Amino acid sequence: LIRTLSNNKKEFTKPVNSVLYINPLENNQNANVTIVTNKLAPRMPTSLQRSLTNEYMIGIYSFDTNQPFILFKTDDYGGSYAGMLKWEENIVADIGGLYNISQKTGTTSPYVFSDKALRNKDLRVIKDEKGKIIMLYSFIDKNTILITGTENIFNAIVGKYLTNAVIR
């Protein structure tokens, strides 16, 4: 699944502000979120996995660069929030490859999330050595988690989300 997303990221040539939906299963059926998260993020805490609904979207967004994104819906904000904080320990190992983040080895300082605000949303972000955001996630409302790689993509997807152009 990570390889499929990475390949689509490179090959997606639609105009700016285009969205490519990625079906995580080969048989073109919609998959239960548990099946998808087991494939995509095997280290995701089960508490987070249980709080997610079967409404989700995995895709590539074309903007200044092609960037993968993941939208999860939840029916348990508190459980999802706690689960996301717990998953921070392993999120880079699970999906960092989507954002060209290599797992740090031989170091005592793994990637650390920090807080940031953007568009009146609270974000949790990882920055590279130069201070550039390389991965972020946010609850864009009490029922929706957005994970992506840049602030530009975050802003664009939130804009589309608010106009009902992606799952709602």
Side-chain angles (χ1 to χ4, degrees):
L1 183 54
I2 298 281
R3 189 171 35 255
T4 298
L5 282 163
S6 294
N7 289 341
N8 279 299
K9 177 182 167 183
K10 293 175 192 167
E11 297 169 3
F12 188 47
T13 59
K14 295 293 182 188
V16 170
N17 292 324
S18 297
V19 176
L20 173 65
Y21 167 73
I22 307 293
N23 190 329
L25 294 181
E26 292 87 26
N27 59 9
N28 288 329
Q29 296 179 351
N30 288 332
N32 176 296
V33 74
T34 303
I35 295 169
V36 172
T37 55
N38 284 340
K39 284 183 170 211
L40 183 66
R43 295 169 196 87
M44 178 184 280
T46 55
S47 61
L48 174 57
Q49 201 175 51
R50 284 191 307 268
S51 71
L52 301 176
T53 71
N54 284 322
E55 290 181 85
Y56 62 88
M57 183 176 186
I58 301 170
I60 306 294
Y61 192 89
S62 172
F63 196 66
D64 50 355
T65 63
N66 288 344
Q67 196 66 236
F69 68 91
I70 303 167
L71 278 169
F72 287 121
K73 296 294 250 174
T74 178
D75 55 11
D76 178 5
Y77 173 78
S80 294
Y81 185 81
M84 287 299 295
L85 291 174
K86 178 74 175 148
W87 190 29
E88 286 181 6
E89 299 169 12
N90 294 303
I91 196 169
V92 170
D94 279 349
I95 63 172
L98 290 175
Y99 305 102
N100 297 320
I101 304 171
S102 58
Q103 185 69 14
K104 289 186 178 182
T105 57
T107 179
T108 57
S109 59
Y111 292 103
V112 176
F113 278 86
S114 60
D115 293 320
K116 181 175 172 103
L118 184 66
R119 289 187 68 142
N120 293 325
K121 306 289 181 201
D122 292 325
L123 281 66
R124 296 287 290 162
V125 302
I126 296 176
K127 295 180 180 180
D128 65 13
E129 303 80 30
K130 297 176 184 171
K132 179 182 171 195
I133 293 175
I134 54 176
M135 181 190 283
L136 64 90
Y137 75 85
S138 177
F139 284 81
I140 56 177
D141 62 32
K142 294 286 185 195
N143 301 100
T144 311
I145 305 165
L146 171 59
I147 305 168
T148 193
T150 70
E151 292 173 279
N152 288 342
I153 300 299
F154 173 83
N155 283 326
I157 291 173
V158 168
K160 282 196 177 283
Y161 180 82
L162 294 174
T163 60
N164 291 320
V166 294
I167 67 164
R168 195 106 159 85

